[in-house]
Each structure stands twice: as structure tokens, then as C-alpha cells.
Amino acid sequence: MSAPRAARGTALHAGAWWVWALGLATAASRTANPLLLALLAAVAGYVVAARRTDAPWARSYGAFVKLGLVVLGIRLVFAFVLGSPIPGTHTLVTLPELPLPHWAQGVRIGGRVTAEGMVFALYDGLKLATLLICVGAANALASPARLLKSLPGALYEAGVAVVVAMTFAPNLVADVQRLRAARRLRGRPDRGMKALLQVGLPVLEGALERSVALAAAMDARGYGRTAQVPPAVRRLTSLLTLGGLLGVCAGTYGLLGDAGGGYGLPVLLAGLAAALAGLWLGGRRSVRTRYRPEPWGVRAWLVSGSGVAVAALMIAANGYAPAALHPPAVPLTAPVLPLWPALSLLVGLVPAVAAPVPVRAGRPVSAGRSRAAAPAAPSRSADSGPFTKEPAQ
């Protein structure tokens, strides 16, 4: 099955990318093997390289990768300076230890740095960095504007706030890149602390201008309108929604934890059912219509199903290969790459084949393609923001 060119009728549902990315993140939370985590990050990076567009929000993936590396470095520095609770016998270096008062027992600054403690910190930091990379993949692949259009009516107001918060990092990255390019064209340095401080003020000014424009767009579109609903329906909606969300949180904690695999899935399914019922009832108070609803087709099922399959296979692998998925730091042993968990992670590459091929700027458009599949002008892109009017076909 060859993937078509991404157009309005064939574009993948934005929610499918988030389900896929959360599945990869769940798999990353179930292992501390650095080889599996590196393979998982490579899978996410390959899919992003193959299927992201030229939209400004799609350029934020590199920022998330750098943030993950920074988090990994901070974790190693903390383990080096503050020590690690993991006992070890292989001493790397002994730092001068700072004496602390008696009420700070259990905390030390300096002292003996062991190889076992640093390896444990490396595994822990690499897991968190992989989680950030998976979230960055979803930010780079899923259009925030199209994701907002797919939210149920009960979550539309909260969804607007979340989408605005999610687009902050991509817009910030795009502004910094634009201003650095302008400084290079003027013959000014674009690297270093001095250049960063001089770029900061225009970036802040652009953020304030976007905030004012967004507030005007929300006000012009009647944001915040509600309909009258009976008090009994309103109370039932609140009960179902809050109870369902608590069930989803408890079920997710059970799935991510090592000891909650038995009750995690039933509680998660029950919470999802209650939350969906509450959202359906809550949507009745939202005076809102959808212009061109986003379809959830076969390719969306394939993309989201691949992420769910990766998470399920990794959870199942913890039952028969826990030692391979969690290599011990004490004693020091070289991690091995387990065959079946590694092959299960490769299922996450399905979006690189099943998802529609994006049309990037500068790519030649064949004569046989319809005008609907041609790339839109960057100034009027349908993915430029949550309140941008879509161009007519």
C-alpha cells in the first residue's frame, strides 16, 4: 500500500500522531536498557524525518532533542556532584565532601563517585530524554490547529489553552531562527551570549504581538459562548468527567508502573468509558460547529495502532524478559539487545510507510496531480494557527 500525497482529503488525523507518540513514550517508560531506548529514539527520529512538513511548528523537534540531551547532562552532573543512592565498588574519583548539618542526613555534596552510580544515572536520564523525544515527535508531526478542530465540544475551551501553550515552543524556535538569519544577512554575529541577548527582545515583542492578535481573533469568533443545560445534566456531566479522568490517571499509573499491570488496563478502560460519556454530555453546552471535520481513516488506525502495539508488546516483554529490559547497575554488566523487544519497537516505523507523504517547499509538483494536493502559500497555510481561516478549494 503506497502512501498518497498529503492533501486536505488524505491528510492524517492529528490525534493519530499523538496516540502513536504516547505509545512510544509508554514503551520508553517500561525499560531502562540504553540500547532499546536509543532504538526507540531512532524510530521516532526516522518517522519525523520522513513525514514532517515545512510548517513552523514542525521545526521544534530539534529543540526537544536538545532539551533531552540537556536533561541527560543535568542528571549526570547531579549524580556526579550530589552522589547516587546506588552502592558501588568501582570508584572513579573522590571529591571533597562538604559537611552538612544533622538535619540534612541522607544528603551529601561531594564524596566518592562510583561507576555504578553514574551508570544508574545514565540509564535514568536516558529514559527521560527518550520521553521528551517522543513528545517532540508528536509536536513536530501533529498540526495543533487540526488537533484543536478534532476535540469534543466539552474540551474546546481547555483545548484552545493547551494548543496555544503547545505552539509557544515552535513559534519561539521559528522566531529565533528568523532573527538569527537576519543578523547573518546584516553581517552581525548570531552566536554567543551577546547575540542571544540582542535576539531576546525582538522575540518577546513578537510573542506579545501574537498574543494580542490571538485575543482579537478569539473575541471576534465569540469564544466562550455556552448554552443553557439543566442542572441535573450539568452535575451528571461533572461526575462522569471527573470520575473518568481519575480512572484514566489510575489506570495509566498502573500500566506505567511495574506492580500495576493487573488492574491498570481494566481501570483505564472504565475511566475512558466514563470520561467519554461525560464529554458527550458536556458537549451539549458548547455552541460550536465544525467546518470540514477531520476524518479518521484507515491510515489513522494504522498509525495509532502501531503506537499502541509497541506499548503493549513492551509491557508484555516485561513479563518474560525483565532482566534484559532493566539491566542492573550493580554489578556492572554490559547491556544486551533483546531480540523480540527490539523487533517490537520496529513496529513503530509503520507511520513512515502508511502516513501520507508531506508536500514540502521546493518539491516539484507533477502535472498529473490535482491542484488540491499542491502546497499552499506559507502565509495562508491551514496549519499556521488554531484560528486561521482555511483556504477554499
Side-chain angles (χ1 to χ4, degrees):
M1 180 177 62
S2 60
R5 296 288 183 183
R8 189 175 301 280
T10 60
L12 193 70
H13 197 285
W17 286 121
W18 273 100
V19 174
W20 168 79
L22 291 178
L24 297 187
T26 302
S29 68
R30 303 293 295 187
T31 179
N33 190 318
L35 301 179
L36 291 177
L37 292 174
L39 179 60
L40 194 58
V43 167
Y46 180 80
V47 174
V48 170
R51 288 299 184 265
R52 71 172 172 180
T53 64
D54 287 334
W57 43 264
R59 304 171 189 171
S60 61
Y61 180 71
F64 278 92
V65 174
K66 294 177 182 178
L67 178 61
L69 295 178
V70 169
V71 169
L72 176 60
I74 292 175
R75 183 67 179 89
L76 291 176
V77 170
F78 278 9
F80 187 83
V81 175
L82 303 179
S84 175
I86 302 299
T89 57
H90 298 78
T91 302
L92 298 178
V93 65
T94 301
L95 301 176
E97 187 170 354
L98 182 66
L100 297 177
H102 67 280
W103 50 265
Q105 292 182 359
V107 180
R108 66 179 179 88
I109 301 177
R112 192 166 61 96
V113 180
T114 63
E116 290 84 354
M118 296 302 297
V119 168
F120 177 79
L122 175 65
Y123 292 170
D124 197 27
L126 190 58
K127 179 188 295 188
L128 183 55
T130 307
L131 290 174
L132 290 173
I133 289 175
C134 294
V135 174
N139 276 275
L141 293 170
S143 168
R146 296 180 57 219
L147 183 63
L148 177 62
K149 290 172 58 178
S150 305
L151 287 177
L155 293 180
Y156 180 71
E157 297 177 359
V160 171
V162 173
V163 168
V164 171
M166 286 169 48
T167 55
F168 173 77
N171 288 328
L172 184 65
V173 172
D175 285 349
V176 171
Q177 291 177 348
R178 175 175 55 82
L179 293 170
R180 290 180 60 186
R183 291 181 63 87
R184 286 195 298 268
L185 291 175
R186 294 181 174 93
R188 298 177 181 176
D190 63 326
R191 297 182 180 275
M193 184 58 64
K194 182 178 179 181
L196 181 62
L197 293 176
Q198 292 178 352
V199 166
L201 184 59
V203 169
L204 178 60
E205 182 181 359
L208 293 177
E209 290 179 355
R210 281 195 305 270
S211 301
V212 174
L214 179 61
M218 295 170 66
D219 184 55
R221 287 162 175 81
Y223 176 76
R225 294 179 301 162
T226 57
Q228 296 294 332
V229 294
V233 176
R234 188 164 57 249
R235 287 192 291 268
L236 180 60
T237 300
S238 302
L239 179 62
L240 289 175
T241 304
L242 292 178
L245 292 179
L246 289 176
V248 169
C249 293
T252 304
Y253 177 79
L255 290 177
L256 296 179
D258 294 333
Y263 70 85
L265 184 59
V267 174
L268 178 61
L269 294 178
L272 282 176
L276 290 176
L279 294 178
W280 177 76
L281 290 175
R284 299 171 59 184
R285 65 184 297 268
S286 177
V287 184
R288 173 174 172 263
T289 58
R290 285 187 177 90
Y291 177 66
R292 289 176 179 169
E294 296 291 330
W296 186 285
V298 177
R299 298 184 184 277
W301 283 112
L302 289 175
V303 171
S304 58
S306 64
V308 174
V310 169
L313 291 174
M314 188 59 65
I315 292 174
N318 276 268
Y320 65 86
L325 267 63
H326 301 276
V330 180
L332 282 176
T333 55
V336 297
L337 183 64
L339 178 60
W340 291 112
L343 292 178
S344 67
L345 295 183
L346 298 181
V347 179
L349 293 173
V350 170
V353 180
V357 181
V359 179
R360 297 186 175 93
R363 178 176 294 178
V365 181
S366 60
R369 285 174 51 199
S370 62
R371 293 179 59 87
S379 60
R380 300 298 299 166
S381 172
D383 294 335
S384 58
F387 295 99
T388 302
K389 183 178 179 181
E390 299 181 358
Q393 297 297 312

